[in-house]
Amino acid sequence: MDAELRERELMLSGHVGCPGCGAAIAMRFFLKAMGEKTVIVLPACCWSIIAGPYPQSTLKTPIIHCAFETAASTASGVRAALDMLGDTETQVVAWAGDGGTFDIGFQALSGAVERNEDFLYVCYDNEAYMNTGIQRSSSTPYGAWTTTTPGHDWKKMRKKNIVEALVAHRIPYVATASIAFPDDLIRKAQKAREIKGSRFLHIYASCPTGWRIPSEMSVKIARMAVQTNIFPLYEVENGKSYTINYKPREYLVREYFRLQGRFRHLTDHDLDQIQAMVDEDWQRLLDKA
């Protein structure tokens, strides 16, 4: 990260995120790349709280709060309004959690990117509906405890591959990023900023509250997700050109899982099954790159 970006702060202190909140870290790095000429569209999610109640705000950029399912359609409207005013410089960003992206907002997202609307959609992924009490989303990984998958009823479905769903729309740019790799995150945000049309950035953002980890472990856990191939860092351009940005050291997934209370109930057999799933997904990605 160069000196100018290191000094640039468009996120103020005093936000109301939980200690160690990965979503707050993600926004801070992201805005360093985007600059002040950015409009943030926020549907219902953790960040609709973290940003602060009107007229207070923890961001130095304009914010529009919208309904849970309308981030992409609202961003489309904001882009159209700016174009009518002749403002082609300001970037429009829909910033939503995994529930508002993978589930509730997916219809609007799919419709907007099919039209190749000119905005950047960012999903900060903490793998559950954390804002309303840790309920399962379709981003919640196999094996996880949540308040709607408690005890022996832990989630037994695999996480939806949202990146491949967006790639199938053949939009100009799709990428993954992590709060534990800030230089990579900032580079991808800068690259997305310069591209016209629909762009999608999937950021892995750990949640100490919902994942049952100490707040000081937030970045370490996010780093391990990449190092174990659970969350690979890669880009896809125009629906066909894959680039893997980081070759992991291939830690075993059980090292990542054992540190989180949400997976504490899993047996060695369960962890072996999950390792096989992760290995399969990684090989499928290697075959495409």
Side-chain angles (χ1 to χ4, degrees), residues 9-27:
E9 292 291 355
L10 297 179
M11 180 174 160
L12 303 168
S13 59
H15 68 76
V16 293
C18 301
C21 173
I25 298 170
M27 179 67 89

Side-chain angles (χ1 to χ4, degrees), residues 6 13 18 63 68 84 91 97 117 152 160 193 202 220 236 238 259 268 270 277 287:
R6 195 177 298 117
S13 59
C18 301
I63 296 171
F68 216 149
M84 288 290 289
Q91 290 287 322
E117 297 283 357
H152 294 294
K160 182 189 292 183
R193 186 185 61 191
H202 183 198
K220 177 180 175 63
V236 187
N238 301 310
L259 294 175
D268 286 341
D270 297 328
M277 294 177 189
D287 291 343

Side-chain angles (χ1 to χ4, degrees), residues 127 176-182 184-185 188 202-206 211 218-234 244-253 256-257 260 278 282 285:
E127 301 189 323
T176 64
S178 168
I179 61 168
F181 294 80
D184 179 76
L185 190 161
K188 287 171 177 170
H202 183 198
I203 302 179
Y204 199 77
S206 41
W211 295 9
S218 186
V219 173
K220 177 180 175 63
I221 290 292
R223 184 178 299 113
M224 290 181 72
V226 175
Q227 293 171 328
T228 54
N229 290 330
I230 289 172
F231 191 86
L233 298 180
Y234 65 106
I244 297 175
N245 308 113
Y246 180 83
K247 290 296 178 75
R249 296 171 61 180
E250 298 183 354
Y251 289 119
L252 295 174
V253 297
Y256 167 83
F257 277 60
Q260 302 177 59
V278 171
W282 175 243
L285 178 59

Side-chain angles (χ1 to χ4, degrees), residues 110-130:
S110 178
V113 302
E114 187 274 335
R115 299 189 301 272
N116 197 26
E117 297 283 357
D118 185 20
F119 64 66
L120 171 55
Y121 192 108
V122 180
C123 172
Y124 65 93
D125 185 2
N126 52 30
E127 301 189 323
Y129 290 84
M130 298 305 185

